[in-house]
Amino acid sequence: MTRRISALVGSVIATAWTLLGVPIAANAQSANSGMQTGASDTGMSTLKEIVVTAQRRSQKMVDVPISITVLNSKQLATANVQSLADIAQLVPSLRFDSQTDFFQPMIRGIGTAVTTSGGGTDVGIYIDGFYSPNPLASDFQLLNVTNIQVLKGPQGTLFGHNTTGGAILVTTAAPSTHPHAEVKVSYGSFQAQRYQVYATTGLSRNVAVDIAGIFSKGNGFVTNIVNGDSHVGAYKNWTLRTGLKVRFSDKVWALARFTDSQEDDPTSMMINSNTDTSINPTTGKPWGIETFTVPGTYTTNPDQVALNLPTFATSNSAIAQLTLKADLDFANLTSYSQWRRENSNASENLDQTALPIFQLGLPVYDTTVSQEFVLNSKRGTRLQWTAGAFAFSNSDQWRTRIDTYENTPVGQLALGGSGTVTQNYAVYLDGTYALTPKLFLTLGARYSRDIVKDAYWRTFFTLTRNYVPSIESNKVTPRAVLRYKLTDRSNVYASYTEGYKAAIIDVGGSCQDGPAYKCNPIRPEDVNAFEVGYKVSGAHFSDDAAAFYYDYKNLQVSEFLGAAQAYIVNAAKSRIYGLEDEFRYNTDDNHVQLSAGVSWTHARYVTFGSVVNGAVVGTPIYASCPANPATLPPQYVQACTTAPGAPPSYDYVNTSTVLHGQHMQYTPDITATLTPLVTTGMTPTGDYSLSGNLYF
């Protein structure tokens, strides 16, 4: 609670700096907002229509038959959103979970906890139309963002593979020929500092440039109890981006961007010990011992860690992008060309104690090349359509090492690693036809071809590359929607969509697990989604409500075997359904605005467990090993090596029991947000506002 109050104080200070120091910037943000306000004929404030690109073309949000949460620049600023993962505080049904510095978004229970070479996510992230496939780049500092759209439900037609749960679309400001500059400075608890600049201008009537930068640093809130270091969580991050926009004619323009960023932020690595009493899955009662009992220094305090070696997480990314738009008379063409490189290095204390048991180093090298062409029909016809072609190739190389001996003559030891090249080629077509002035039918489909090749794992210590066979798969994901226009400002719709997460090769696990050294077959995840919804957008009030049902199968799940071994299998099938509602309201004078949302999600595993290589692999139970493992029921396969009479220990227990009807992980039944905003309007000394954000 102390940290939250301190963070709020920091946010208030940041807002004061922005409002008192640069009132021009506040006005510019309002002008670029996805949800704006304006004066009606009566002089009173009204909610303007929100425009989104959820169907790869600009449309009023009320007319788009998809559940969408839209966050404009003002909402992001007032909620103190600094990185993408922070938007979870504003979006019902959305979570960002992390495994070290790998961030995995999850929407309505659909996501993955798998981190492996070529693994990917279940929620696609797009920045200015460009796909970002790497979980290491899923959380990033936000640069001059105009709006963020969170599309809920599978987007397998227009946004492709690995959008099983949905897509997150980030839109930033483009260079302008009208000179503009803004500076923002904030200071918070634990010496948290953030400096942000943006400037744009025209070099000529048809050429504009811009530059944006963010630098943030702080001491973090964690203390290392081993040496009393209160700066063990200190971080220092920066991002710099520049753009050049050239208009060749009234029908053709291009935008080139280059982004360079670097992060040195161990926050996600600051993990403390867990001493909850584990549960005996046969009785539902505690084993009677703690799950973590080691004769070393450890802590369970979330503000503390026990580290005997430096723990860090660093990353560097370089991104080059080119957007080309052309009016072809019969349609509008957009081309997205991208090259990106993301390198990271992390060192994690796996036992979370001060004992020198095992410190894992994990450098990762990731390179992506992608190209997409999108063709949109002209407005004003009964048939509105979008067609496209997409191709990308991602090279993912993981190294592993032992950092336990870093401060000794032995030093860091190369342990192993793995690598893959993942490719996707796709074509898609999606169209909406006005059957009557009020009734609209949307049909779409995407054909995708997925390839994983040049996959290998490295032999321990010798680092010899061991290549495994490539895999290929084809997938068609359809979409069908029926929408009825009740009024000019309200719609109801019913939709069916299909999405999938591509098949992967388990080069980080089963491929290198002896004695078989055989890769588990890992099929694509699939989801069939049904949704009905109602949308209304009035002068001062808008509301989006939806009910959804998902049939989610072939979940890719990690199974731990103990002895530092693990593998990935298709271990589960789930059924998810729920209700969701989001609304916005503002008063006539626009001095009071309110955004709120609530979601109820019933997510259960229909089954959890599968047959792998002839044996039943059931639910992994991370439990304590009793002093005498022989006392366990015979159906439990023990990874424990505890000898009879020895003290109990903590290890992985894999069961052969298949569970049914269990609550899905990372999926709370209820999520809710409430964001009030009160403003004074322009006064002789500036425009002042007070806001808060409640997230459950």
Side-chain angles (χ1 to χ4, degrees):
M1 180 62 71
T2 302
R3 291 202 309 275
R4 293 180 181 176
I5 294 174
S6 301
L8 178 59
V9 172
S11 177
V12 172
I13 294 174
T15 304
W17 272 98
T18 303
L19 296 179
L20 295 179
V22 195
I24 296 177
N27 292 337
Q29 282 188 344
S30 178
N32 289 327
S33 297
M35 181 180 70
Q36 304 172 1
T37 58
S40 66
D41 294 338
T42 62
M44 293 188 295
S45 175
T46 61
L47 282 176
K48 284 189 176 180
E49 296 284 0
I50 301 175
V51 177
V52 297
T53 55
Q55 297 188 124
R56 305 304 293 264
R57 56 185 184 269
S58 296
Q59 294 176 280
K60 293 188 296 183
M61 179 176 167
V62 72
D63 292 335
V64 178
I66 300 172
S67 292
I68 311 170
T69 297
V70 178
L71 306 172
N72 61 40
S73 58
K74 191 170 185 178
Q75 290 172 296
L76 297 172
T78 55
N80 197 30
V81 172
Q82 298 185 8
S83 65
L84 186 65
D86 293 339
I87 68 171
Q89 306 168 32
L90 301 172
V91 182
S93 303
L94 172 66
R95 286 176 58 104
F96 269 86
D97 291 287
S98 66
Q99 170 65 28
T100 62
D101 51 347
F102 294 85
F103 281 81
Q104 297 280 19
M106 178 174 290
I107 297 177
R108 293 175 174 174
I110 297 182
T112 182
V114 170
T115 54
T116 188
S117 177
T121 70
D122 282 275
V123 176
I125 295 176
Y126 288 76
I127 302 98
D128 292 325
F130 294 94
Y131 178 48
S132 175
N134 189 358
L136 287 168
S138 292
D139 188 30
F140 50 87
Q141 298 186 98
L142 299 179
L143 271 172
N144 206 34
V145 170
T146 58
N147 70 70
I148 297 177
Q149 304 169 42
V150 180
L151 281 52
K152 301 174 184 179
Q155 305 298 319
T157 301
L158 293 170
F159 292 95
H161 86 315
N162 291 7
T163 55
T164 324
I168 299 174
L169 315 182
V170 181
T171 303
T172 65
S176 172
T177 55
H178 301 287
H180 167 71
E182 58 185 68
V183 178
K184 300 178 183 179
V185 179
S186 67
Y187 184 87
S189 54
F190 305 104
Q191 296 187 19
Q193 303 165 56
R194 182 177 173 91
Y195 307 90
Q196 184 169 351
V197 297
Y198 178 75
T200 183
T201 189
L203 300 181
S204 70
R205 190 166 62 93
N206 295 318
V207 179
V209 296
D210 71 354
I211 186 169
I214 292 179
F215 175 76
S216 60
K217 67 175 184 177
N219 293 333
F221 58 85
V222 179
T223 298
N224 186 1
I225 64 173
V226 174
N227 55 15
D229 183 6
S230 60
H231 296 174
V232 67
Y235 60 90
K236 184 182 294 185
N237 309 319
W238 60 263
T239 301
L240 183 66
R241 186 187 66 180
T242 184
L244 173 68
K245 184 176 181 179
V246 180
R247 182 173 294 278
F248 299 102
S249 69
D250 291 339
K251 293 187 175 184
V252 180
W253 62 262
L255 171 61
R257 284 204 180 280
F258 181 77
T259 305
D260 192 16
S261 64
Q262 184 167 308
E263 293 193 2
D264 184 359
D265 190 347
T267 303
S268 60
M269 315 291 281
M270 298 290 103
I271 304 172
N272 49 66
S273 300
N274 173 24
T275 58
D276 291 339
T277 303
S278 65
I279 302 299
N280 182 336
T282 62
T283 65
K285 297 179 180 179
W287 288 111
I289 61 174
E290 292 182 328
T291 63
F292 204 94
T293 53
V294 294
T297 301
Y298 68 93
T299 176
T300 61
N301 190 326
D303 295 338
Q304 298 177 344
V305 290
L307 301 175
N308 62 296
L309 288 175
T311 295
F312 60 84
T314 62
S315 65
N316 174 264
S317 67
I319 305 171
Q321 298 169 332
L322 176 64
T323 304
L324 177 66
K325 292 203 173 186
D327 184 343
L328 304 181
D329 292 330
F330 76 95
N332 295 313
L333 173 68
T334 306
S335 169
Y336 299 99
S337 307
Q338 174 181 230
W339 172 88
R340 58 190 306 140
R341 183 198 65 217
E342 284 121 3
N343 297 336
S344 70
N345 193 6
S347 186
E348 180 185 11
N349 189 324
L350 293 183
D351 57 280
Q352 287 104 49
T353 75
L355 293 178
I357 297 177
F358 195 76
Q359 181 103 354
L360 177 68
L362 185 63
V364 178
Y365 307 93
D366 197 274
T367 302
T368 301
V369 178
S370 67
Q371 174 64 53
E372 184 168 17
F373 296 101
V374 181
L375 202 61
N376 287 320
S377 61
K378 294 285 189 174
R379 295 183 181 180
T381 60
R382 294 183 68 177
L383 176 63
Q384 293 290 292
W385 53 268
T386 298
F390 175 75
F392 95 96
S393 178
N394 176 253
S395 174
D396 202 12
Q397 298 183 49
W398 293 38
R399 307 280 179 85
T400 55
R401 64 170 187 255
I402 301 174
D403 290 345
T404 309
Y405 309 103
E406 180 181 331
N407 297 328
T408 72
V410 177
Q412 297 174 336
L413 295 178
L415 181 60
S418 59
T420 58
V421 173
T422 303
Q423 297 176 336
N424 175 258
Y425 304 95
V427 291
Y428 54 88
L429 177 63
D430 187 277
T432 299
Y433 184 73
L435 300 173
T436 71
K438 289 183 174 293
L439 186 62
F440 301 84
L441 174 65
T442 298
L443 296 175
R446 185 186 190 102
Y447 169 78
S448 294
R449 181 171 180 79
D450 295 286
I451 303 170
V452 184
K453 65 178 186 178
D454 298 333
Y456 65 87
W457 57 274
R458 293 179 180 267
T459 305
F460 286 174
F461 305 118
T462 67
L463 303 186
T464 303
R465 289 192 180 189
N466 302 275
Y467 284 90
V468 302
S470 302
I471 61 172
E472 298 183 9
S473 61
N474 303 307
K475 184 71 175 180
V476 176
T477 47
R479 174 183 185 228
V481 186
L482 198 62
R483 174 172 66 93
Y484 184 76
K485 194 169 187 176
L486 298 171
T487 68
D488 287 341
R489 286 180 169 264
S490 63
N491 287 271
V492 292
Y493 66 88
S495 67
Y496 165 78
T497 55
E498 185 177 348
Y500 78 105
K501 180 177 182 291
I504 59 177
I505 298 178
D506 188 22
V507 287
S510 58
C511 298
Q512 54 185 292
D513 288 342
Y517 297 101
K518 181 179 180 181
C519 301
N520 289 333
I522 305 171
R523 299 183 301 278
E525 294 185 352
D526 284 289
V527 61
N528 293 293
F530 301 86
E531 180 171 303
V532 294
Y534 168 74
K535 295 188 176 189
V536 60
S537 177
H540 305 288
F541 175 82
S542 67
D543 186 76
D544 299 341
F548 55 90
Y549 176 90
Y550 297 162
D551 181 18
Y552 185 25
K553 55 189 177 182
N554 293 328
L555 276 68
Q556 298 169 359
V557 176
S558 291
E559 292 275 358
F560 293 90
L561 308 180
Q565 290 184 315
Y567 53 56
I568 301 172
V569 294
N570 295 108
K573 179 180 180 180
S574 300
R575 183 174 295 120
I576 306 170
Y577 54 86
L579 302 171
E580 198 166 87
D581 187 81
E582 294 187 66
F583 70 90
R584 292 160 295 279
Y585 171 79
N586 73 320
T587 56
D588 289 345
D589 57 10
N590 200 36
H591 290 332
V592 178
Q593 300 179 22
L594 181 67
S595 299
V598 61
S599 175
W600 169 70
T601 305
H602 182 89
R604 300 294 185 267
Y605 293 113
V606 176
T607 59
F608 199 120
S610 61
V611 177
V612 179
N613 296 329
V616 176
V617 177
T619 310
I621 305 294
Y622 311 112
S624 302
C625 301
N628 184 2
T631 61
L632 284 175
Q635 68 264 35
Y636 287 88
V637 179
Q638 281 291 331
C640 306
T641 56
T642 308
S649 64
Y650 176 73
D651 216 322
Y652 304 109
V653 181
N654 284 308
T655 78
S656 58
T657 300
V658 176
L659 297 183
H660 302 276
Q662 299 298 307
H663 197 293
M664 290 184 66
Q665 293 173 296
Y666 315 117
T667 312
D669 290 335
I670 301 292
T671 59
T673 65
L674 179 63
T675 308
L677 172 65
V678 180
T679 63
T680 62
M682 187 57 66
T683 71
T685 57
D687 183 358
Y688 300 89
S689 66
L690 178 65
S691 68
N693 183 61
L694 177 66
Y695 174 61
F696 174 77

